[in-house]
Each structure stands twice: as structure tokens, then as C-alpha cells.
Amino acid sequence: MNAATIPDQKVIVIDFGAQYGQLIARRVRDLGVFSEIVPFDIDPADLKAKKPSAIILSGGPASVYADNAPKINPALFNTGVPVLGFCYGMQAMAVSLGGSVPQTDVGEYGPAKLTLNDAASSRLFDGTPAQQTVWMSHRDSVSFAPKGFTVTARTETCPIAAMEYPEKQFFATQFHPEVLHTEYGQRILKNFLFKVCHLSPTWTMESIIDEKVSAIRRKVGDGRVILALSGGVDSAVTAAIVHRAIGDQLTCVFVNHGMLRKGEPELVEEVFRRQFKMPFIHVHAEDRYAELLKGVSEPEEKRRIIGTQFWREFFAVAQKLDGVKYLAQGTIYPDRI
């Protein structure tokens, strides 16, 4: 494995809800830097243990002054790494460091014209024009920047549209650089990652496969793994990566419930058993499912029956296999959330 396969540079995205965290993490990875999403209430010790190279605070749907609003632990700002906040992340940063975000009914939604206060002095906006289009989605905004911060940009309705404290390496924007509607959003992210944080674009999607294969080998050792294979993308990719790592120590279990497309069960078996040569168990449960679902029309009840019976079928096979220590599951990140 070469050095590029190990994510020794890591951007931690603090998630405050909605879809913003996922998109930010994707944009960072597109620029060649590994990113990981964590919840806003992560313990500071756990955050430090992740050894972040930088931290990005995502947007979110809440108001920072609400009683149940997500709060930042002030210890986050003592990690010694650069911090960049977007929208709610900017407001949370401001409140945590002594600024002010009052309740207001004046917001911005959609494209807005951003004006830089001093284009030459900000590393975050380096190489971008004095006026540019950004994407806003906020009702609240910072009315008073914390001590040490300089206001670097404004719009007609938002006098503090960006702020920074270069000595502390704290930066924030009220707009969303991660969305394509922000004209120079990727440039702003590049400036933060490469000019502020001095990271290198060494992470690739190819490298993560090598990394995961090595991690699986270390974890599993000489143990056996069982995987519920549906034939869909998630479980199929998981099967391919795990099989590359440990070969025939993996057993794929395909539960045929009789509700697949015509020819699909045969295709799944052909691909995984004969082409990929994986240990493959085809569970023919069509008749059992047909009996359980007879006369059931309510969708939620159908889903409950299908899910419950699936695990009965799967565990019945698992109990017959000797030496199985691990379960592999292919589930995409948004489904976990």
C-alpha cells in the first residue's frame, strides 16, 4: 500500500442536521482530501482522538437561540486545527466565541450578491472577485462578530456574510460554498484546505478500496464472515471488497423471497457463484413468504413480515456455518442516518 492510501489527512465535518454535512463531505473528497462526518455532540476527547487536520461546521435547520438548538462544545475551538463554519455553523461559532445572533425575520433564500470588504486580505477568498454570486438559505445571521474576528464580506441584507480570525485559523461564511449555485464555492474550499490548512490532494476513491481491504484483513484475521447478499449495489460492492480481502472466508447468503424481477435470482447466482467464484448459499424461501403474505394488503405490515422473515431465514443459515465471527453489511451512509 502506498502512502496515498492512508488518510493521514482528515477533515472532520460537524453535522448539525439536514443534508448539508453529506454534501460538504463529498465536496472535500472531490478535492482529494479524506473527510468524515460526526454528530455535533461528539465528545471532545473522541474528536481529538480522530486527529483532525481541519474541522468544518455544517449548516442546519435550527435557530441557535432556540432552547433545543444544537450547541458546540467550546473545547472544539481548542483543538489547534483550522475551523470553517457555514451558515448555522457560522452562527454557532459566533455564539460560542462571544458574538451575537439575534432573532430576526429578515433572511435570504437563493442567490445573493456578495461583496468582499477587502479582497486582498482574506486567504479564504483569495483569487475570487470583489463581487460574486453566493447561495443563501438563512433567516438568522450574526449581528456582532466575536472579538478578534474581521468581517470580510457582506450582502445587501447581511452585513456579516463572512468573517475570519486568521491568527486562530477560524473562518466562517453565512452562505453555502458547498452548493454549485455559489459561483466560487469550490475555490473557497480549495483555499481553506490547501492555503489555510496546507493539506495535499492525495486521497482518491481508488485508495479507499486498498485501505478497506487492508483494514478488513487486519480485523478478520483467519475468522469467517457471513454477508446478506440481495444483489443490489450496496451488498454487491461490500461482497466484492470483502472477498478481495479474505477470499473464501466470506460466505454470501442470498434469501430468495419470491418478489424479485423475472430472472434476477438466477442472474445473482450466476454472477457471484460462477463468475466471482464466491461461496454462495441460495435460500429458496419463496413458498414460506407466499404463505406469510397471503391476504396481507397493508404496506407497513407487509414490510414488517418481509423483514422479520428475512432475518429468520438468514440466521437459520448462519447457525449452520462453523467459525463465523463477523457479519458484513452493505448499507450506504444516508440509510444509516
Side-chain angles (χ1 to χ4, degrees):
M1 187 191 308
N2 58 47
T5 66
I6 304 172
D8 53 349
Q9 302 176 134
K10 181 187 298 182
V11 174
I12 294 296
V13 179
I14 306 291
D15 185 23
F16 289 105
Q19 77 279 20
Y20 305 109
Q22 290 291 325
L23 186 54
I24 294 166
R26 171 62 186 272
R27 296 290 181 242
V28 171
R29 292 173 185 174
D30 286 345
L31 292 172
V33 180
F34 180 77
S35 61
E36 179 181 349
I37 301 172
V38 301
F40 69 89
D41 57 354
I42 184 174
D43 185 274
D46 293 337
L47 178 63
K48 186 176 181 180
K50 291 182 178 294
K51 299 180 180 180
S53 306
I55 296 170
I56 297 180
L57 311 177
S58 84
S63 295
V64 290
Y65 47 75
D67 292 338
N68 59 349
K71 299 290 193 298
I72 294 179
N73 190 316
L76 179 146
F77 298 102
N78 296 323
T79 57
V81 301
V83 182
L84 173 61
F86 301 154
C87 196
Y88 185 92
M90 171 175 172
Q91 297 167 19
M93 177 190 291
V95 170
S96 296
L97 297 176
S100 176
V101 180
Q103 185 172 356
T104 176
D105 293 326
V106 179
E108 289 176 294
Y109 301 93
K113 188 63 67 177
L114 184 82
T115 300
L116 303 185
N117 291 342
D118 186 351
S121 66
S122 172
R123 281 186 290 169
L124 195 64
F125 290 101
D126 185 48
T128 69
Q131 288 197 324
Q132 53 194 276
T133 300
V134 299
W135 188 262
M136 290 285 195
S137 180
H138 70 98
R139 181 184 61 207
D140 308 318
S141 58
V142 176
S143 64
F144 178 78
K147 184 178 179 180
F149 278 79
T150 299
V151 177
T152 53
R154 65 190 186 277
T155 68
E156 286 188 6
T157 58
C158 184
I160 305 179
M163 63 182 190
E164 59 186 60
Y165 192 163
E167 292 77 14
K168 294 281 189 179
Q169 294 189 304
F170 297 156
F171 300 81
T173 71
Q174 183 57 61
F175 59 90
H176 290 272
E178 74 273 21
V179 304
L180 295 178
H181 301 80
T182 294
E183 196 174 6
Y184 292 91
Q186 280 295 83
R187 179 59 182 262
I188 290 168
L189 276 173
K190 283 183 179 179
N191 287 343
F192 178 70
L193 296 176
F194 306 132
K195 294 190 176 183
V196 173
C197 305
H198 303 292
L199 303 181
S200 300
T202 55
W203 186 88
T204 65
M205 288 301 294
E206 289 76 16
S207 71
I208 197 173
I209 296 175
D210 293 335
E211 176 199 341
K212 293 300 181 185
V213 165
S214 296
I216 291 166
R217 286 173 180 160
R218 290 194 300 270
K219 178 71 174 180
V220 173
D222 59 359
R224 293 186 66 189
V225 178
I226 189 171
L227 181 146
L229 180 68
S230 69
V233 172
D234 301 343
S235 62
V237 170
T238 301
I241 292 175
V242 175
H243 189 254
R244 179 184 293 190
I246 61 173
D248 289 353
Q249 292 169 243
L250 168 70
T251 298
C252 297
V253 178
F254 175 65
V255 177
N256 186 348
H257 44 58
M259 290 168 280
L260 297 168
R261 290 167 291 189
K262 183 178 180 180
E264 188 170 4
E266 294 78 11
L267 178 61
V268 171
E269 182 164 0
E270 168 68 25
V271 169
F272 288 92
R273 187 198 296 278
R274 297 182 179 86
Q275 294 184 24
F276 294 161
K277 301 187 184 306
M278 296 183 188
F280 181 93
I281 297 175
H282 189 156
V283 180
H284 286 279
E286 300 99 310
D287 293 342
R288 290 186 288 277
Y289 270 100
E291 185 64 28
L292 288 167
L293 294 169
K294 186 183 297 182
V296 180
S297 59
E298 206 282 315
E300 282 301 321
E301 180 65 10
K302 282 184 179 180
R303 279 191 279 270
R304 186 191 64 78
I305 291 171
I306 292 170
T308 301
Q309 186 62 24
F310 173 85
W311 286 109
R312 286 174 179 163
E313 301 286 349
F314 182 77
F315 284 125
V317 174
Q319 289 170 354
K320 297 176 183 178
L321 298 176
D322 294 329
V324 172
K325 296 176 61 178
Y326 300 97
L327 168 68
Q329 181 176 344
T331 303
I332 60 175
Y333 202 90
D335 285 350
R336 288 173 53 196
I337 294 174

